Amino acid sequence: MLDGALRSLAEHGIAGTSARSVAAAAGVNQALVFYHFGSVDDLLATACRRGAEQRVARHRDRLRAVGGLDELLAFGRRMHEEERDAGHVAVLAQLLAGAQTHPRLAPATAAGLDLWIEEIEPVLRRVLAGTPLDGVADPAGLARAVAASFVGLELYEGVDPAGAGAALAALEQLGALLAAVQELNPVARKALAYTLRRSGGRGR
């Protein structure tokens, strides 16, 4: 039933997902939805958590092997395409939309996003260490921005595929720019880092 719930979300969206659609996708009697989970919302919340655990586990080893920001951004594009084609980002987007009007979905959806954030944050800490952004950029905040962007790009791609592609390309250019900065001599890197810290301090 958990897999059926995720399939129903991907195919019908949050508005079209019901005990009947989930039961049809799972090949079971819809009464079992209420017997095992009490409500459709509770079933979706459980399915959200399980789906996020499965997807994070699938990508964990590749994420932990990332060695630089440019690699992370390139991996992000590949993962986005894989998750988009499999329908998993659409499911998360539907859950986020549904959480606005279905309060029971909000904690589970947030917990699902947190699983991604917990994996992304240590990668960011590692790839930013020793760069001019070390001590300037907040890895915890960046990890949340990356997770939110991951879902936002899926929604954007549905109405403007070229625009979403341009957004991903721009992020990759930033990675290339940081890689180029790393080629500067140590004095220039320290000067840049100092300027960024001063600028960040004035912004707070």
Side-chain angles (χ1 to χ4, degrees), residues 85-167:
D85 293 344
H88 298 295
V89 183
V91 167
L92 187 53
Q94 287 296 323
L95 286 166
L96 283 167
Q100 309 304 310
T101 53
H102 297 68
R104 289 182 181 177
L105 294 181
T109 306
L113 279 172
D114 282 343
L115 290 175
W116 285 105
I117 292 166
E118 288 167 7
E119 293 295 328
I120 295 168
E121 184 178 339
V123 178
L124 285 169
R125 291 188 183 279
R126 186 175 71 252
V127 302
L128 294 177
T131 74
L133 294 179
D134 190 9
V136 177
D138 172 26
L142 280 176
R144 283 163 174 75
V146 168
S149 297
F150 187 61
V151 179
L153 279 170
E154 167 71 14
L155 299 175
Y156 186 27
E157 197 167 41
V159 297
D160 184 2

Side-chain angles (χ1 to χ4, degrees), residues 73 77 163-175:
L73 293 170
R77 178 186 279 271
L168 282 168
L171 289 174
E172 289 175 350
Q173 288 169 354
L174 286 176

Side-chain angles (χ1 to χ4, degrees), residues 2-17 22 40-53 55 87-113 115-116 151 154-155:
L2 296 176
D3 291 337
L6 295 176
R7 284 198 299 274
S8 180
L9 278 171
E11 294 172 8
H12 307 295
I14 189 72
T17 293
V22 171
V40 174
D41 281 358
D42 287 339
L43 167 59
L44 292 178
T46 304
C48 170
R49 175 76 185 198
R50 180 186 177 186
E53 289 172 347
R55 302 319 298 173
H88 298 295
V89 183
V91 167
L92 187 53
Q94 287 296 323
L95 286 166
L96 283 167
Q100 309 304 310
T101 53
H102 297 68
R104 289 182 181 177
L105 294 181
T109 306
L113 279 172
L115 290 175
W116 285 105
V151 179
E154 167 71 14
L155 299 175

